[in-house]
Amino acid sequence: QVQLVESGGDLVEPGGSLRLSCAASRSLSSVNTMGWYRQAPGKQRELVAQITSGGNTNYADSVKGRFTISRDYAKNTVYLRMNSLKPEDTAVYYCKISWGASGYWGQGTQVTVSS
């Protein structure tokens, strides 16, 4: 019923920038929370950034000041702007959007930061 299509992952050099997109097939008008998670090989999936319908945001300490989460209700899309990328940011990034208590995941998009 709900599909989240992620895009924007790429290979980028340290210090570079990327913008990830998560396009939802359902309107964001009734969304509760929108977030980005990441999972590196052999590591636990972790919350990177989250934004509520009211605009409140929170970020993992490791990305504060470098990443920015935003959303465009007209496009039903959530974004993650990533600046000053570090090799430690290398992971598969997953979008998660919750409508009430129901959460949905994107397919993941790979971000690789390497010189």
Side-chain angles (χ1 to χ4, degrees):
Q1 180 176 331
V2 176
Q3 184 179 24
L4 305 180
V5 179
E6 301 175 5
S7 62
D10 204 351
L11 172 64
V12 64
E13 294 186 7
S17 298
L18 289 172
R19 187 180 72 165
L20 307 183
S21 299
C22 176
S25 63
R26 179 187 289 183
S27 173
L28 300 182
S29 62
S30 60
V31 76
N32 184 25
T33 59
M34 297 149 278
W36 288 92
Y37 295 71
R38 68 185 181 187
Q39 187 167 24
K43 295 185 178 180
Q44 186 176 352
R45 186 174 298 186
E46 64 175 348
L47 176 66
V48 175
Q50 187 178 64
I51 188 169
T52 69
S53 60
N56 294 324
T57 59
N58 67 85
Y59 298 90
D61 289 340
S62 60
V63 307
K64 285 182 178 178
R66 300 188 297 119
F67 290 11
T68 303
I69 187 171
S70 63
R71 79 289 198 201
D72 187 332
Y73 286 106
K75 296 181 178 180
N76 293 334
T77 300
V78 182
Y79 302 97
L80 183 68
R81 168 63 69 180
M82 304 183 293
N83 295 325
S84 302
L85 283 163
K86 305 175 180 180
E88 307 92 87
D89 297 318
T90 297
V92 177
Y93 284 71
Y94 298 90
C95 176
K96 182 184 179 183
I97 302 178
S98 297
W99 287 262
S102 300
Y104 299 87
W105 292 90
Q107 82 283 358
T109 184
Q110 181 179 323
V111 173
T112 302
V113 185
S114 177
S115 59

